[in-house]
Amino acid sequence: MKYRFVCTPTPGYDDNKPTNMGRKSFDARCSFSGGKPNRCVIFPGNVSVVAEALERRNKNWIVRTKIASDLIVQVGDSIFHLHKLPVVSKSEYLNKLVFERSNGERGSNSPKIHLDNLPGGTETFELVVKFCYGWKVDVTATNIAALYSAAHFLEMSDDLEQGNLISKTEAFLSFVMFSSWKDTFQILKSCESVTSWAKEFHILKRCSEAIAWRACINQKVFDLDDFDANNKQELKPEGIVDSSWWFEDVSALRIDHFIEVIESIKQKGMKSELVGLCIAKWTAKWLSQISFGLNNITPKHLNRQLRRVTTESLIKILPEEENSVSCNFLLHLLKLGLLMKINGELLKKLERRIASMLEQCCVADLLVKNHGENETVYDVDTVIRVVERYVSSVLRDPAPRIFVVGRLVDGYLTLLARDKHLKANSFQLLAQALPKTARHCDDNLYQAMDIYLKGHPNLTEEERTSVCKAMEYHKLSQEARQHMMKNDRLPVRLRTQLILVEQVNMTRSMTGAGSTFRRTKAQAIIKVSQGLEKGWMRSQNEIKMMKNEVETMNMQLNQLNMCKIELQKQVKSWH
C-alpha cells in the first residue's frame, strides 16, 4: 500500500479553482477560504514493525510493540525508545550512526544516539517517529518548515524508500507556497525557530519568491485566494486590486525574512515607489515598538545591537531610484541611524540622498518628531546636518535652486519658533547653515526671528543677538524695516544700529548726498558700534529719541516729495 497525501478540505472550498500551480501535483485538495488552514495527512502503508502506540512517560517516549526496543535516540532532554529496522530503513543519517555505534559498542544491543541539533527538536522528531512506524502524520503550514528541514537533516530520501519523508514534505511545501498566500506567511513565521536550516534548505528563498510572484503578478488578472467566504472584499472595476494590498502581510515579517521578501520583489520588477512605501510601512510598524529614551529598551529583546543592524539593513535595501522613498521617511531613518550610531559611510550616503531632495521638499517633509519630555517637538539637529550637507554639495556644484531651500529653511524656522524647548543656539545654527546668498529677501527670516523672540521672553541679551545674527538689514523690505524700528524685542545694539542706519538713509534722501553720504554713514555706524562697546546709548530713552528723530525725518521727507510733485505739475502747466 503506497503513501498518499490528503489535504483536508474546509468549508468554502471552490472546486473550480486550479490546484496545479506549475509544480508536480499530487492527490490533494486545499482550502482558499478564511476557515481552517491547509492540512496534509500521511496515511500508513506497509511497515516492518507493527506498533500499537507511542507513549510518553515524563521525558521518555516508548513505542509499544510486541518486540523489545533495540535503539535509543535522545533529542534534547527527551529519550525515544525505538526499533532499528523501521528507523534505519528510512533515514540514511541514522543508519550511519547506528552502524558506527554498533561497531563501537560491542556487547550492547541498544545503541544510544544523540541528536542535539535536530531541526524542530522533540516535537518534530515525534512526527518523524510516527512516519517511520506508519502512523498518520498531520502536516500543516506551522510545522512543515521544521519537518522538511528534519527530513533533509536525517537524509530521508527516496533512495532508501519510494515516497520517503523528503519527497512527501517537498510536495506539500511546494503546493502550499503556490496555492495559499496566508499559509506561505505562516511557513515563514514557523521558520523563525529553525532559521539556519530554513536558509540552508532554501525554504526562506522559496517562500520569498512565491510572495514576490504573487505581489508582482498583473493586477487585472490576479485572483485573490484568501477571501473570507462570509466577508469578501469588493474588487475595483475590472477586477483591479489595490497595488499595495500586500503591504500589511509583508510588514509583519521579521527583519531578516522581510529583507528576503523585499529583495525577491525587487528582482521581480516591482515598482520602486511601492517597494519604498512597503519599507516605510515596515519601519513605522517597527519603530512603534521602540522607546527612544536613553536607557529604555522596549521590548527587551530588541537590544541595541539588533536595532543598529536592523537600521543598517533597512538603509541597504532602499531602492536606488529617485523619489522612490519620501524625504520625511529618510529623515526618520537618519535620526534612528544617528541614535543607533550606525556605520559612518551609510550615514553619509543617507545624508547625501536627503540633501539631494531638499529642493523638491515642503516644510511638512522636514518634520520628524522627538519623544523626550524636555526635547523640542521636532528634531532640529538632524535637519541641520542635512542642510549643511546640502550646502557642501552646492559649493562644489552651484545649484540655481538654492533660493528654494532658503525659503524652505525659513518656513521650517517659522514653524519651530514657538517651541519653548528650542534653544537659541539651535535656531542660530539652522538660520546660518545656509550661505547669505541663499536668500533674496530676509523678510521670512525676520518673521521667524520675531516669533522666536516673542515666544522666548526670558532670553539674555547675548542669546537675542545670536538669534538675529543671520539676518541682513539691507535685504529687508521697507515694511519689515518699519516693523523693526518699533520692535522692542530685538537686542538693544541691533535696534540702535538699525535706527542710526535708517536715520542716515533719510538724510541721504533729503540731501541727495553721494560719496559724502557713504562716508558719513560708515563713520556713524563705526561711532555707534564703538559707543555701544563702551556702554553708551544703552538707555531706552536715547533709543526712543533716535526713533522719534527718524519718524520726524520721514515725515519731512514725505512733505518734500509732495512739494516736488506740486512743482513738477506747475512746470508742466507753464509749458
Side-chain angles (χ1 to χ4, degrees):
M1 179 178 176
K2 293 183 178 179
Y3 286 101
R4 63 190 179 92
F5 275 84
V6 175
C7 287
T8 306
T10 57
Y13 173 75
D14 185 356
D15 288 317
N16 295 321
K17 280 189 178 286
T19 56
N20 190 346
M21 305 300 294
R23 294 273 180 161
K24 184 178 180 180
S25 63
F26 51 91
D27 183 11
R29 277 188 169 185
C30 294
S31 168
F32 297 98
S33 73
K36 297 179 181 178
N38 292 328
R39 185 169 67 89
C40 171
V41 180
I42 302 175
F43 282 86
N46 295 325
V47 292
S48 53
V49 176
V50 178
E52 299 175 5
L54 178 61
E55 297 179 351
R56 181 177 182 180
R57 300 173 187 172
N58 295 326
K59 295 182 180 181
N60 290 286
W61 296 77
I62 301 172
V63 178
R64 186 152 51 85
T65 67
K66 295 179 180 180
I67 304 173
S69 170
D70 59 359
L71 175 64
I72 297 175
V73 178
Q74 183 170 347
V75 181
D77 57 357
S78 297
I79 299 174
F80 290 81
H81 300 268
L82 309 175
H83 301 82
K84 295 179 184 177
L85 189 58
V87 173
V88 300
S89 64
K90 292 181 175 61
S91 170
E92 188 172 348
Y93 180 73
L94 289 176
N95 194 337
K96 294 175 186 176
L97 292 181
V98 169
F99 180 76
E100 291 173 0
R101 296 293 188 280
S102 298
N103 290 336
E105 300 175 6
R106 294 178 181 179
S108 174
N109 294 326
S110 299
K112 188 174 183 179
I113 295 172
H114 292 269
L115 295 178
D116 295 327
N117 56 345
L118 178 76
T122 302
E123 292 181 4
T124 302
F125 192 68
E126 179 187 357
L127 297 178
V128 172
V129 170
K130 288 181 177 180
F131 178 83
C132 292
Y133 281 89
W135 285 308
K136 290 192 304 181
V137 177
D138 285 343
V139 184
T140 66
T142 58
N143 64 22
I144 183 61
L147 190 57
Y148 180 83
S149 299
H152 279 272
F153 178 87
L154 296 172
E155 301 175 18
M156 302 178 72
S157 67
D158 284 5
D159 293 340
L160 292 179
E161 181 177 294
Q162 192 66 28
N164 210 342
L165 191 56
I166 289 179
S167 61
K168 294 296 186 183
T169 52
E170 167 65 33
F172 180 72
L173 184 65
S174 300
F175 183 84
V176 170
M177 285 193 298
F178 284 90
S179 65
S180 176
W181 172 265
K182 289 183 178 178
D183 281 349
T184 304
F185 281 92
Q186 187 62 57
I187 293 172
L188 274 179
K189 182 67 177 175
S190 68
C191 285
E192 293 180 5
S193 60
V194 289
T195 299
S196 59
W197 301 107
K199 287 183 178 179
E200 181 177 345
F201 300 128
H202 307 295
I203 301 175
L204 288 180
K205 184 177 181 180
R206 290 171 61 183
C207 286
S208 300
E209 290 176 347
I211 292 170
W213 174 74
R214 300 190 82 101
C216 298
I217 199 168
N218 189 320
Q219 300 295 323
K220 290 188 177 182
V221 300
F222 183 76
D223 185 15
L224 284 178
D225 59 5
D226 285 317
F227 278 165
D228 188 324
N230 300 317
N231 186 27
K232 286 192 175 183
Q233 304 174 15
E234 291 186 5
L235 291 179
K236 295 183 178 181
E238 300 181 3
I240 299 177
V241 181
D242 180 12
S243 56
S244 63
W245 61 268
W246 48 278
F247 283 13
E248 192 64 34
D249 291 321
V250 172
S251 63
L253 294 173
R254 202 173 71 174
I255 180 62
D256 52 342
H257 298 170
F258 176 74
I259 291 173
E260 287 273 358
V261 171
I262 288 297
E263 292 293 354
S264 295
I265 285 176
K266 287 164 71 173
Q267 291 174 7
K268 294 290 183 183
M270 176 67 73
K271 292 181 180 178
S272 60
E273 293 85 353
L274 287 175
V275 176
L277 284 172
C278 186
I279 295 173
K281 183 175 180 63
W282 189 96
T283 307
K285 195 169 185 177
W286 178 65
L287 288 177
S288 67
Q289 304 177 49
I290 297 177
S291 171
F292 284 95
L294 292 176
N295 299 315
N296 293 330
I297 301 178
T298 309
K300 292 182 178 179
H301 68 276
L302 287 174
N303 56 43
R304 193 176 187 85
Q305 172 70 15
L306 175 59
R307 284 186 280 174
R308 188 178 78 248
V309 173
T310 298
T311 306
E312 292 178 346
S313 300
L314 289 172
I315 296 173
K316 290 176 182 177
I317 64 172
L318 288 174
E320 296 290 339
E321 290 80 1
E322 187 177 355
N323 298 323
S324 57
V325 284
S326 70
C327 179
N328 186 259
F329 167 61
L330 293 178
L331 278 170
H332 276 88
L333 210 52
L334 178 59
K335 174 183 170 66
L336 185 61
L338 292 168
L339 187 67
M340 294 295 106
K341 298 180 180 179
I342 65 170
N343 179 271
E345 288 302 316
L346 279 178
L347 274 180
K348 291 179 183 178
K349 180 181 178 181
L350 193 55
E351 286 177 2
R352 287 194 294 268
R353 181 164 185 172
I354 301 171
S356 68
M357 302 172 70
L358 285 182
E359 295 174 4
Q360 290 81 40
C361 288
C362 63
V363 173
D365 294 327
L366 303 183
L367 302 182
V368 177
K369 277 199 170 185
N370 282 323
H371 301 278
E373 293 182 1
N374 298 319
E375 292 184 289
T376 55
V377 176
Y378 298 106
D379 183 9
V380 182
D381 295 336
T382 303
V383 175
I384 292 174
R385 289 179 66 103
V386 172
V387 173
E388 289 175 344
R389 179 69 63 180
Y390 171 82
V391 172
S392 65
S393 65
V394 168
L395 292 178
R396 292 193 298 269
D397 182 20
R401 290 175 58 83
I402 192 172
F403 299 108
V404 176
V405 179
R407 288 195 296 272
L408 175 68
V409 171
D410 291 346
Y412 182 69
L413 282 170
T414 302
L415 187 144
L416 296 180
R418 293 183 176 85
D419 190 340
K420 64 179 181 179
H421 293 300
L422 181 61
K423 303 297 183 183
N425 182 55
S426 296
F427 188 100
Q428 178 191 0
L429 286 174
L430 185 54
Q432 292 184 307
L434 288 171
K436 294 182 178 181
T437 55
R439 297 179 177 93
H440 282 301
C441 176
D442 279 1
D443 281 17
N444 292 333
L445 180 59
Y446 170 64
Q447 181 186 12
M449 291 175 176
D450 187 44
I451 293 173
Y452 182 80
L453 294 174
K454 186 177 181 179
H456 300 76
N458 298 322
L459 294 176
T460 64
E461 185 73 7
E462 183 180 357
E463 287 174 331
R464 290 205 301 273
T465 301
S466 68
V467 167
C468 301
K469 203 168 184 179
M471 183 185 63
E472 293 188 294
Y473 179 76
H474 67 276
K475 286 187 177 181
L476 294 173
S477 64
Q478 187 62 35
E479 182 181 359
R481 291 180 185 180
Q482 292 300 321
H483 186 277
M484 289 185 68
M485 297 283 290
K486 304 174 184 178
N487 192 345
D488 295 334
R489 292 183 287 272
L490 295 176
V492 175
R493 179 170 181 170
L494 177 62
R495 289 171 57 204
T496 306
Q497 286 181 337
L498 294 177
I499 291 170
L500 181 57
V501 170
E502 193 68 19
Q503 190 177 30
V504 174
N505 286 340
M506 292 292 183
T507 304
R508 178 191 180 196
S509 299
M510 295 175 68
T511 61
S515 59
T516 304
F517 159 75
R518 286 191 293 272
R519 184 174 61 255
T520 304
K521 177 181 177 181
Q523 290 172 348
I525 294 174
I526 293 172
K527 182 178 179 181
V528 171
S529 299
Q530 292 173 346
L532 287 171
E533 291 173 0
K534 295 178 182 179
W536 298 352
M537 298 184 184
R538 291 186 180 178
S539 69
Q540 294 295 326
N541 289 333
E542 292 182 14
I543 295 175
K544 188 174 182 180
M545 289 174 57
M546 294 176 65
K547 285 169 61 178
N548 291 336
E549 288 179 12
V550 172
E551 291 175 0
T552 301
M553 295 176 67
N554 194 20
M555 291 174 59
Q556 293 174 352
L557 181 60
N558 289 334
Q559 291 174 357
L560 287 173
N561 286 332
M562 293 296 294
C563 290
K564 180 180 177 181
I565 293 172
E566 289 296 326
L567 288 173
Q568 289 175 343
K569 288 181 179 179
Q570 291 179 12
V571 171
K572 288 183 179 180
S573 64
W574 292 343
H575 292 286

